[in-house]
Amino acid sequence: MTVSDLGELIGFLEDSRDEIRAMSAEIVAGLTANAEGMEKLKCVQRPLIIKLLQCVVLGGDAVRKALVALVNLSHEPAVVEILLDSNVINQVMESIRDRTTPHVDLLTSLLANITISERGSKELLQLGKGSMEGHHMAVLLKKFVITGTTNPPGNDDLYEHVASVLTNVTRLREARLLLLEPGRELLPALVPQLQSSNALRRVGAAGALKNCIMSAEKDGTLDFILEDRTVLTHMLRCINGQPPLEKEDTVRERIAEAILVLAGTDKGRDALWDAGAPEALRKGYEDEQHPGVCLAMERTAEIFLSHSTIDSGPTPGVLGLASSAKQLQQQQQQQQQQQQHELAQEQG
């Protein structure tokens, strides 16, 4: 397909006839489904993005295929910049606010890709927009939470990708401060998602929580995070080894790492003791197989042990975890020494 052919194809995306737009959008979506097709489209990238956005605005049967193409294309950072230059976030949010749109899943997926970039996250958060700051996110959070509790089992979860958006935006300090601002209700909305039946929701919620907790002391938000103790209850439930078991390694690892950070602070450690963290860690560690989760648990146990002032009830479990951590460290040191010895012999 020549550049001229591609130009003619994308020109049909704004044709007045819906069936022509739909046919063109379907061909473009097919091209974006593989690396070869994506490479062909690079020479017409900017006009293609603009025409696809126009195609979405025109409506009709072409919309879904045009959105599929945009989602596929938005994995490329250069495409994200073109989309942001084209005011895509406001366009997407306007469509999401329209309760009649049947394409929410693709719209939120597009936002998830766009907010991987720092600029995309800032624009979605409307930073610097005065009273409008956080308005888009408030809309997304509300819809995310409501559908998380009302969506019947087996139905498509149209707002599941908002979880990824939350993970993306909370990488920014200004985003964390905005979303954790009293009255925003981020944490009460987020922590129940850790028990969602949807794995994508759980992974995204765990990522956003970890991002908020990792920098909480520096951000000055630690007290607010610890204020609602149900936050810790939900988090510990992910790694305590009790049914229903969390099957996603990513969720368990993110939560275990977040708990490790909390344990490293005086206030966080006290709150974790009160929430029964030592016993939860002991039970969860018994059958945990993931190296990253085990390592975070062991390091947390070492912190608990070094600051332990409680009775001997849960201490043996913590001691066992700490001992495992030391054994693992010794094994790693021995392996490194063995490798160095073997290397020295080969060089000799």
Side-chain angles (χ1 to χ4, degrees):
M1 189 175 286
T2 66
V3 174
S4 177
D5 291 334
L6 289 171
E8 186 176 3
L9 173 63
I10 64 176
F12 288 135
L13 289 170
E14 58 179 356
D15 195 278
S16 60
R17 295 163 292 180
D18 181 37
E19 64 273 18
I20 299 298
R21 295 198 307 275
M23 187 181 301
S24 178
E26 185 169 5
I27 294 171
V28 172
L31 287 170
T32 64
N34 58 73
E36 184 181 354
M38 293 278 277
E39 188 62 32
K40 289 179 180 178
L41 292 171
K42 279 188 176 180
C43 61
V44 291
Q45 205 168 68
R46 181 171 290 275
L48 173 60
I49 299 303
I50 293 171
K51 297 297 185 185
L52 284 170
L53 289 172
Q54 291 174 349
C55 185
V56 172
V57 172
L58 289 170
D61 294 337
V63 173
R64 190 159 188 88
K65 288 297 183 182
L67 284 172
V68 168
L70 286 169
V71 169
N72 292 341
L73 288 162
S74 62
H75 289 286
E76 293 286 336
V79 170
V80 171
E81 290 300 310
I82 297 171
L83 286 168
L84 291 171
D85 289 342
S86 303
N87 196 36
V88 68
I89 286 180
N90 286 331
Q91 183 177 330
V92 167
M93 290 306 301
E94 185 177 343
S95 297
I96 288 175
R97 288 189 183 91
D98 180 1
R99 296 183 180 181
T100 63
T101 181
H103 311 298
V104 170
D105 55 337
L106 291 173
L107 292 168
T108 53
S109 182
L110 184 58
L111 286 179
N113 288 347
I114 290 171
T115 52
I116 290 174
S117 81
E118 182 175 336
R119 180 188 171 191
S121 287
K122 287 182 176 180
E123 291 200 13
L124 179 62
L125 288 158
Q126 299 165 287
L127 297 178
K129 300 294 183 181
S131 61
M132 291 302 294
E133 277 195 349
H135 183 62
H136 285 337
M137 281 307 307
V139 171
L140 288 174
L141 261 177
K142 182 177 180 180
K143 291 181 179 294
F144 179 64
V145 172
I146 290 175
T147 55
T149 57
T150 61
N151 197 41
N155 279 23
D156 291 338
D157 189 344
L158 300 181
Y159 285 92
E160 63 182 4
H161 295 290
V162 175
S164 300
V165 173
L166 287 168
T167 299
N168 292 341
V169 298
T170 51
R171 292 173 304 170
L172 305 180
R173 182 177 186 273
E174 52 265 57
R176 297 190 298 272
L177 291 176
L178 177 67
L179 292 172
L180 289 174
E181 187 178 285
R184 295 281 184 182
E185 303 300 317
L186 172 67
L187 289 180
L190 207 54
V191 291
Q193 302 302 319
L194 292 173
Q195 274 71 55
S196 171
S197 60
N198 185 312
L200 188 56
R201 281 179 176 259
R202 300 197 307 276
V203 169
L209 275 170
K210 178 186 171 182
N211 288 344
C212 290
I213 288 171
M214 294 294 279
S215 303
E217 201 166 32
K218 184 178 179 180
D219 290 345
T221 56
L222 182 61
D223 287 341
F224 178 72
I225 289 173
L226 297 175
E227 185 178 20
D228 185 353
R229 295 303 170 90
T230 60
V231 172
L232 297 182
T233 301
H234 280 288
M235 290 175 66
L236 289 170
R237 196 176 297 164
C238 296
I239 60 171
N240 66 5
Q242 303 303 301
L245 298 175
E246 174 52 65
K247 297 179 181 179
E248 297 296 322
D249 291 344
T250 302
V251 174
R252 299 196 313 281
E253 185 171 25
R254 286 176 172 178
I255 294 300
E257 290 173 347
I259 288 173
L260 171 60
V261 171
L262 286 176
T265 68
D266 292 338
K267 291 180 179 179
R269 190 166 52 254
D270 290 342
L272 285 167
W273 277 121
D274 292 343
E279 181 65 9
L281 285 167
R282 183 188 68 78
K283 289 180 178 178
Y285 187 79
E286 289 176 353
D287 296 316
E288 182 58 60
Q289 300 295 320
H290 190 275
V293 182
C294 289
L295 184 59
M297 285 181 162
E298 290 160 359
R299 289 178 174 172
T300 304
E302 285 186 311
I303 293 174
F304 281 145
L305 187 63
S306 64
H307 292 84
S308 179
T309 57
I310 61 172
D311 60 48
S312 59
T315 302
V318 175
L319 180 60
L321 277 175
S323 298
S324 296
K326 289 181 179 179
Q327 290 173 2
L328 179 62
Q329 187 178 20
Q330 290 172 354
Q331 289 173 0
Q332 290 174 339
Q333 289 174 347
Q334 289 172 357
Q335 288 174 356
Q336 289 174 354
Q337 291 172 356
Q338 180 66 26
Q339 289 172 354
Q340 290 172 355
H341 178 67
E342 291 173 355
L343 182 61
Q345 285 184 327
E346 289 177 3
Q347 291 175 344

